[in-house]
Amino acid sequence: MTDASNTLSRRTLLAGLAAAPALTTTGPATAQISTPNSAAEQAQAALKEAKATRLVLLGTGAGPVPGRTRRMTSHVMLSNGAAYVLDCGLGVTDQFARTGIPFAALRSIFITHHHADHNIEYGPLLIVGWIQGMRPDIRAFGPPPLKQMTEDFIRAYRQTVDFWAEDFKMKPLHAVDVTEVPTAGPVMQDDNVKVSAILVEHPPVKPALAYRFDFGDRSIAFSGDTAPFEAVATLAKGADVLVHEAMYVPAVEDYLRAQIAKGRPVKLEDYMAHMKADHTPVEDVGRIAQEAGVKTLVLSHLTPAIDTLTDDTWRAPAAKYFKGEIVVGKDLMVV
Ligand SMILES: [Zn+2]
Ligand SMILES: [Zn+2]
């Protein structure tokens, strides 16, 4: 082969590779990677019919643990055709694509705190999103040092970005508009939504944020990762939906006892004290949701994220206190 034909065939291959995923962003084409009636198809159908603002749970498992049924934490809200992503655990890009929402619809990304199960795929979402037609004026919000992290990540992938930019005559992704959120207060407002945040209790992570999104037709609040914290009830006051992290203590203790039996050098009491200082038992989640007076409580960021716990096991402790609708989060569920 001559150099010219080498270049040509490489370009053709790259173009083919690029075109294939780009096609899927138009929506129904994603069905080809799904089995009939899959969670992805159900989500796509629900979003297609939806007139109002919708929330899709992209990942509902707690902790940076790969290979589970539940992906790490991420969500997307869709309102008037504009998409807002909250948290970027591993799997966010794939799960976003599976909803059929085009990458061009993505307006803003929000990060609650800098634990890996909430931010590890933030950079890859930006790069893959850019290749797939994301708007150049995409904005990102989150605790410091999000600005530095974004710049460092884009710098690390500069050559990768420039290869694609040259090949496909795309404007390279060399910067993203980042706003750091160091304290409680208003975060942003655009033509669809007003976003505010508070600081929550998730030691030693500081700041760790909870967010509230007030869309024209719907309000959705997120606890982020936190120990039981009354301010979350205040933030979520009167919201339609509260997505709250939830821990089922008996299952965490069972898991730990099994680990200790295998020789893990940890004391049950010490470990549980640490868990309770950082996360919210599901009973307390019910109490906080009742205090907030929300219509729907979504249990997510489930600890432990194991498949053997039934929905009723999760729901019952929260239902002792909360009298509204309780949804046990599952990946790609549309709320
Ligand atoms: Zn977490
Ligand atoms: Zn965390």
Side-chain angles (χ1 to χ4, degrees):
M1 265 196 213
T2 64
D3 282 345
S5 67
N6 251 332
T7 307
L8 187 66
S9 58
R10 188 177 63 85
R11 272 177 183 275
T12 313
L13 175 67
L14 282 172
L17 288 172
L23 279 176
T24 65
T25 60
T26 55
T30 46
Q32 67 191 348
I33 57 162
S34 312
T35 52
N37 299 316
S38 69
E41 282 181 327
Q42 288 174 26
Q44 287 168 26
L47 292 178
K48 212 171 178 181
E49 286 161 17
K51 300 268 183 291
T53 298
R54 285 287 172 262
L55 160 70
V56 191
L57 310 175
L58 299 178
T60 57
V65 186
R68 296 177 304 203
T69 311
R70 294 179 190 279
R71 305 284 190 105
M72 295 174 205
T73 296
S74 61
H75 319 78
V76 61
M77 288 156 275
L78 186 66
S79 187
N80 292 324
Y84 302 84
V85 163
L86 179 83
D87 278 340
C88 294
L90 195 65
V92 62
T93 315
D94 228 11
Q95 295 289 79
F96 181 95
R98 294 180 81 206
T99 66
I101 300 172
F103 281 90
L106 183 53
R107 289 273 192 96
S108 297
I109 300 170
F110 301 84
I111 301 290
T112 57
H113 65 293
H114 292 306
H115 266 155
D117 54 323
H118 300 256
N119 74 2
I120 198 70
E121 206 172 303
Y122 163 68
L125 172 64
L126 292 175
I127 304 281
V128 176
W130 165 72
I131 295 167
Q132 295 291 347
M134 187 179 80
R135 298 157 55 122
D137 59 350
I138 181 91
R139 300 181 72 190
F141 302 85
L146 189 63
K147 228 175 186 133
Q148 189 66 53
M149 290 166 74
T150 309
E151 286 169 14
D152 287 351
F153 189 87
I154 291 175
R155 189 179 301 116
Y157 276 79
R158 177 128 188 174
Q159 194 174 62
T160 299
V161 164
D162 287 346
F163 282 149
W164 286 93
E166 185 194 335
D167 247 350
F168 300 108
K169 307 288 173 260
M170 293 165 73
K171 192 176 179 300
L173 180 77
H174 283 166
V176 168
D177 181 351
V178 176
T179 303
E180 291 183 345
V181 187
T183 52
V187 173
M188 66 88 90
Q189 182 165 10
D190 67 10
D191 45 347
N192 283 309
V193 67
K194 199 174 88 185
V195 184
S196 52
I198 60 163
L199 304 181
V200 289
E201 283 285 319
H202 191 48
V205 182
K206 274 193 174 111
L209 303 171
Y211 283 96
R212 176 177 175 131
F213 292 74
D214 285 296
F215 294 94
D217 61 342
R218 220 173 176 210
S219 305
I220 305 172
F222 297 86
S223 68
D225 282 14
T226 182
F229 199 49
E230 300 307 317
V232 173
T234 311
L235 175 79
K237 202 92 195 162
D240 296 287
V241 180
L242 169 62
V243 182
H244 204 299
E245 74 131 274
M247 171 168 66
Y248 187 68
V249 171
V252 178
E253 288 178 346
D254 284 352
Y255 169 80
L256 214 61
R257 279 195 198 94
Q259 292 279 305
I260 290 166
K262 281 185 200 162
R264 186 171 164 183
V266 62
K267 271 183 147 169
L268 184 74
E269 296 73 25
D270 293 351
Y271 190 87
M272 288 313 297
H274 153 78
M275 289 302 284
K276 285 177 180 171
D278 272 273
H279 297 288
T280 307
V282 65
E283 291 85 355
D284 292 312
V285 176
R287 198 172 46 72
I288 287 161
Q290 184 65 22
E291 204 178 311
V294 297
K295 291 194 190 104
T296 302
L297 168 62
V298 178
L299 304 176
S300 193
H301 192 279
L302 299 180
T303 310
I306 51 178
D307 296 330
T308 44
L309 294 175
T310 65
D311 284 2
D312 281 343
T313 304
W314 280 108
R315 198 179 282 118
K320 271 193 247 166
Y321 300 95
F322 180 62
K323 300 306 163 197
E325 179 191 25
I326 301 174
V327 174
V328 181
K330 292 192 176 57
D331 290 15
L332 293 176
M333 186 181 259
V334 179
V335 181

